[in-house]
Amino acid sequence: MNTIISGFIQVLTNPLFYANVITCTAPILVASLGCAIAQKASMTNMGMEGIMALSSFIGVIVSGYVHGPNPFLGLIVSIVVGGILGYVVATFNLKLKVDIVLVGIAMNLVCQGIPAFCLPLVTPNHDRSSTNSLITGLLPKIDIPIIKDIPFIGPIVSGQNILTYICFLLILVMSFLVFKTKLGLRIRAVGENPNAAESVGISSNNVKTIALVISGMLGGIGGYFMAAAYVSYFSKGGIGGRGFIALAACSMGNANPVPTALTSLLFGFFFALGNFSSTTGISNYLLNMMPYIATMIGVVIYSVVSAKKEKQRLAGKKE
Amino acid sequence: MAKKPFLSKMSAKSKHTILRTAVAILIGLGLATILIYTTCSRPKTAIKLFFTAPLQSWSYFSLWLEKAIPLMFTGTAVCIMFSANQFNLAMEGAVMLGGFFGGALVNIYLLPGKTIAGIAVGSLIGGLVGALITFIPAILYKTFNASIMVTSLMMNYICLWMSNYLLGNYFKDPKTSFGTYQWAPNSKPIMVKSIDMGNHDVLKIYYALPIALIVVFVGWFLLYKTNFGYKLRQVGENSKFANYVGTNVVFIALASQIIGGFIGGIGGANYIMTNFTTYNIVDLTGLGWDGVTMAVFSRNNPKNVPIAALFIGYLKASAYIMSIKVGVQHEFTQIIQGVIVVFLLAEQFLSKTYRKMIIAEANSQREDKKEAE
């Protein structure tokens, strides 16, 4: 027991651990923001996992083939592909009337099937599980001038991947979008009461489609993070359920950008703890389980709290 | 009045359903053909394998059944849960841990060497474990109103890491890198009997097949021939109405998920006992998601599950054979599965044809009336 406690102290006082927390958080964060914007328009983007997989795959392949390794081009391609996939989800749900959750499940099947199927066709050595033989490159890391010299904080905040900073900046962007813009207002209106929104001349289908396209684009960023910032290749199953975790984070954060981001940070913490399992002396299988258990507990707590609030609100109204 | 042909007796709605199903399957198969044709170095051989491989030899035929059997279990399980409109997605976890406890541990530690008892007790324990796994998200929803979709998705990963943890720390055979002790002598799975058909061709008899068919039958009987099943479907169609007419909605919802998990767990145990002699699975099997596909294909009626399972089993078997013979990645069945699912579910798909069908039906009814007068 003592060794575990001292192991934990060792980990928790190590700035590298916190840097890892931030790295692990970024992809979940951006994907959960994607789930959140869709959820605000009352669209559950169950296909996030698949969108992340396919968009990052195409991004990685393009970045490897065009101009030698060009990770920035890959990022843009991923975002575009993600947006298109979001549009596909919207079309199947809104135009062809397929249940949104089932579109998502089908999306996951297709979007995880395509990369697996295409891998040997597009890699030089006909790889079957990852793009190892294709040089695709990493997005650069950035040192922030003054901050990098601050002890303890420096190594955590500075020296992260450029995409990590973009992911965290997106919290502000999405908050602004949802709460301060016309589009955000429309998305919220459509999500809360589509009929009321329709009655004032807002096309709920258009707004929902836009929300899903944005959601897909954010998914594209999250997926590409896993393939060009976390590691420098795409691998089958490399998303590892982060799309589903993002869905959970969004659900716990009630689809509001800041709480959603905080929840993702919690997942990032446990993921990083898993990466540091050798120091803590706890089985990494158990630590890998933690984010999921934490989600379940978190969702329960969130539900209890919001039920209480609702009760208070109703009680207040009666008086 | 002249006797009408069979097709014109059907309503426009069911005709449209059949048409949509056929078109969805055609789109799926067409896509598969295009994919194989454009990507494979020997497309003709590959296409021939894709459409006929499972019928080419007894061992390939056996492979077909082997791929279809687990789908019958998970398909029936998801049908029951979806019929009650419970989107419990923990089937992956139920299969995984059901297989680990029921399929592997029972046969290694509890009843080593006792095939029949091992299968029976293994299936039962697997079922109980599976029921527990789908029950947890269900009870969290009923008590705390916690989103069943989120908690059940998390449950899958908890089960995955739980089985890895137990396997890695407590049940690992030190001689292997990551696997339990063998529970079957001669590395022959205990639920399979091989019959030599000559020419290196082997027909395999799967004990899991009759179990799967019984499960399908019981599932169908339960849903469509009992009072409980009627109430269950009523809850699925309109839970408020069910509540007003005095059905215990909470009980039905919980029961549907416990039964679903139980069946999934049996499926997991049977899957392990049919395919393995040592448990060394490190990733989710995908059978739970296949269960969702099955439920969609069979429109939540277990009666249709065997056909759906045989269809997808056929695709999976031929894809597997193709991956060995001509090097096409077998994952492409996932693509086809997904595409067929969305087109099957797309209510508005071919809606113009549907409108024409309705008009045609109305016209013919009017003519019939005139004739009668």
Side-chain angles (χ1 to χ4, degrees):
Chain A
M1 195 63 203
N2 274 336
T3 50
I4 290 179
I5 291 171
S6 68
F8 258 108
I9 293 170
Q10 219 178 323
V11 168
L12 294 179
T13 50
N14 186 352
L16 286 179
F17 170 72
Y18 294 100
N20 198 246
V21 169
I22 289 178
T23 312
C24 291
T25 302
I28 300 172
L29 165 66
V30 68
S32 65
L33 289 174
C35 289
I37 184 101
Q39 195 67 51
K40 275 279 169 219
S42 79
M43 304 289 268
T44 305
N45 193 357
M46 181 82 188
M48 186 48 91
E49 179 88 1
I51 290 176
M52 288 170 83
L54 184 57
S55 54
S56 69
F57 173 70
I58 296 178
V60 162
I61 296 299
V62 170
S63 82
Y65 274 102
V66 184
H67 275 301
N70 188 342
F72 282 103
L73 181 70
L75 176 62
I76 291 164
V77 171
S78 289
I79 295 173
V80 172
V81 173
I84 294 172
L85 293 174
Y87 183 77
V88 171
V89 172
T91 310
F92 272 102
N93 176 248
L94 300 170
K95 297 264 164 66
L96 294 170
K97 304 284 177 213
V98 188
D99 181 272
I100 184 79
V101 174
L102 290 170
V103 181
I105 292 175
M107 201 71 190
N108 288 336
L109 281 171
V110 174
C111 292
Q112 290 175 322
I114 292 174
F117 176 71
C118 294
L119 261 174
L121 306 169
V122 292
T123 47
N125 291 348
H126 309 292
D127 300 332
R128 280 174 161 259
S129 60
S130 71
T131 56
N132 256 332
S133 61
L134 185 71
I135 298 160
T136 53
L138 275 168
L139 287 163
K141 290 187 174 180
I142 291 184
D143 281 326
I144 306 174
I146 299 157
I147 293 176
K148 77 170 184 212
D149 298 322
I150 304 173
F152 202 81
I153 306 285
I156 300 174
V157 178
S158 173
Q160 293 279 359
N161 197 290
I162 182 167
L163 200 51
T164 311
Y165 296 116
I166 295 177
C167 291
F168 277 85
L169 272 180
L170 279 169
I171 305 174
L172 297 179
V173 176
M174 294 313 288
S175 302
F176 183 79
L177 179 79
V178 170
F179 293 112
K180 300 283 171 201
T181 64
K182 205 160 125 188
L183 177 66
L185 181 66
R186 287 185 171 184
I187 288 176
R188 283 181 290 139
V190 165
E192 274 169 27
N193 192 339
N195 292 334
E198 289 271 359
S199 71
V200 291
I202 299 170
S203 157
S204 77
N205 276 10
N206 282 355
V207 172
K208 283 178 174 178
T209 308
I210 293 170
L212 270 173
V213 169
I214 297 173
S215 171
M217 287 161 82
L218 292 170
I221 299 177
Y224 197 67
F225 187 97
M226 292 310 295
Y230 200 75
V231 288
S232 62
Y233 52 84
F234 172 88
S235 70
K236 212 158 79 176
I239 304 300
R242 282 176 179 78
F244 294 132
I245 292 187
L247 209 60
C250 149
S251 157
M252 262 166 82
N254 196 21
N256 287 326
V258 175
T260 300
L262 288 175
T263 322
S264 333
L265 199 64
L266 181 75
F267 294 128
F269 178 83
F270 282 112
F271 267 102
L273 213 53
N275 290 345
F276 278 73
S277 66
S278 55
T279 323
T280 51
I282 298 178
S283 158
N284 71 322
Y285 301 124
L286 276 187
L287 288 175
N288 282 332
M289 211 191 297
M290 283 302 145
Y292 307 100
I293 294 181
T295 314
M296 279 183 102
I297 297 171
V299 171
V300 168
I301 292 173
Y302 165 73
S303 312
V304 172
V305 171
S306 54
K308 234 181 209 170
K309 269 189 196 163
E310 183 70 15
K311 236 183 208 171
Q312 279 170 355
R313 196 177 66 89
L314 289 176
K317 257 187 189 171
K318 271 178 197 164
E319 281 165 15
Chain B
M1 202 165 69
K3 205 179 170 190
K4 283 183 176 181
F6 171 68
L7 260 177
S8 62
K9 269 186 198 164
M10 278 199 257
S11 70
K13 196 175 178 191
S14 46
K15 262 194 264 181
H16 180 238
T17 309
I18 291 175
L19 178 74
R20 248 171 49 199
T21 311
V23 174
I25 290 172
L26 277 181
I27 290 176
L29 293 180
L31 182 73
T33 314
I34 293 169
L35 281 179
I36 297 168
Y37 216 87
T38 48
T39 59
C40 188
S41 52
R42 285 183 292 152
K44 275 185 187 160
T45 327
I47 299 263
K48 202 180 159 201
L49 278 177
F50 178 64
F51 284 104
T52 63
L55 305 173
Q56 282 178 4
S57 73
W58 287 113
S59 41
Y60 289 169
F61 178 77
S62 310
L63 186 69
W64 175 17
L65 291 182
E66 187 184 305
K67 298 279 180 197
I69 292 166
L71 306 182
M72 295 186 196
F73 286 104
T74 53
T76 309
V78 178
C79 277
I80 292 174
M81 297 195 293
F82 278 17
S83 291
N85 203 19
Q86 302 297 315
F87 264 92
N88 191 321
L89 302 170
M91 203 34 61
E92 283 288 331
V95 169
M96 184 120 200
L97 279 192
F100 182 62
F101 283 100
L105 297 187
V106 165
N107 285 295
I108 298 170
Y109 298 100
L110 201 60
L111 296 160
K114 291 181 183 136
T115 311
I116 295 176
I119 294 171
V121 177
S123 299
L124 183 69
I125 301 267
L128 291 176
V129 171
L132 178 70
I133 286 157
T134 45
F135 175 70
I136 293 171
I139 195 73
L140 287 179
Y141 176 67
K142 290 303 159 205
T143 344
F144 303 112
N145 205 21
S147 159
I148 208 163
M149 205 179 69
V150 172
T151 50
S152 64
L153 280 173
M154 294 303 110
M155 206 61 212
N156 289 336
Y157 287 93
I158 293 172
C159 291
L160 167 68
W161 292 113
M162 178 69 93
S163 101
N164 280 357
Y165 170 69
L166 293 175
L167 174 52
N169 286 285
Y170 299 106
F171 299 108
K172 196 164 84 80
D173 178 359
K175 275 179 259 165
T176 61
S177 59
F178 199 76
T180 60
Y181 291 98
Q182 293 262 341
W183 60 80
N186 325 323
S187 303
K188 279 183 187 153
I190 57 173
M191 288 190 78
V192 182
K193 189 173 162 46
S194 301
I195 301 171
D196 197 349
M197 308 295 281
N199 269 341
H200 303 290
D201 201 5
V202 180
L203 172 67
K204 289 179 178 168
I205 308 286
Y206 296 106
Y207 303 155
L209 182 61
I211 301 178
L213 291 174
I214 291 171
V215 162
V216 168
F217 176 78
V218 170
W220 167 77
F221 191 83
L222 190 72
L223 272 185
Y224 287 89
K225 298 286 161 194
T226 62
N227 191 11
F228 171 77
Y230 179 74
K231 284 181 181 165
L232 194 152
R233 285 181 291 128
Q234 192 184 46
V235 169
E237 298 261 326
N238 189 338
S239 64
K240 273 186 190 158
F241 174 76
N243 193 21
Y244 292 146
V245 296
T247 307
N248 188 342
V249 175
V250 173
F251 167 75
I252 297 274
L254 285 178
S256 75
Q257 292 170 76
I258 291 172
I259 296 169
F262 187 75
I263 294 175
I266 300 177
N270 278 268
Y271 171 70
I272 295 300
M273 291 188 280
T274 305
N275 293 282
F276 301 89
T277 57
T278 167
Y279 186 97
N280 53 9
I281 299 178
V282 291
D283 212 343
L284 293 172
T285 55
L287 293 172
W289 293 117
D290 285 340
V292 177
T293 317
M294 288 299 107
V296 170
F297 277 31
S298 47
R299 298 191 188 280
N300 292 347
N301 188 341
K303 187 176 79 178
N304 305 326
V305 164
I307 302 166
L310 284 173
F311 175 64
I312 291 297
Y314 193 96
L315 292 187
K316 286 191 165 207
S318 45
Y320 182 77
I321 296 162
M322 270 166 58
S323 74
I324 294 170
K325 295 231 164 168
V326 287
V328 174
Q329 294 268 80
H330 65 88
E331 277 89 352
F332 88 112
T333 48
Q334 277 185 17
I335 308 175
I336 305 167
Q337 233 169 298
V339 168
I340 299 181
V341 163
V342 282
F343 281 106
L344 271 184
L345 288 170
E347 278 170 29
Q348 293 301 310
F349 181 48
L350 298 174
S351 56
K352 275 185 189 163
T353 330
Y354 182 43
R355 222 168 292 150
K356 277 182 199 160
M357 280 174 169
I358 289 180
I359 293 168
E361 189 183 48
N363 282 339
S364 82
Q365 273 171 2
R366 203 166 51 199
E367 275 165 25
D368 283 354
K369 233 182 186 177
K370 269 184 193 168
E371 223 170 82
E373 281 167 11

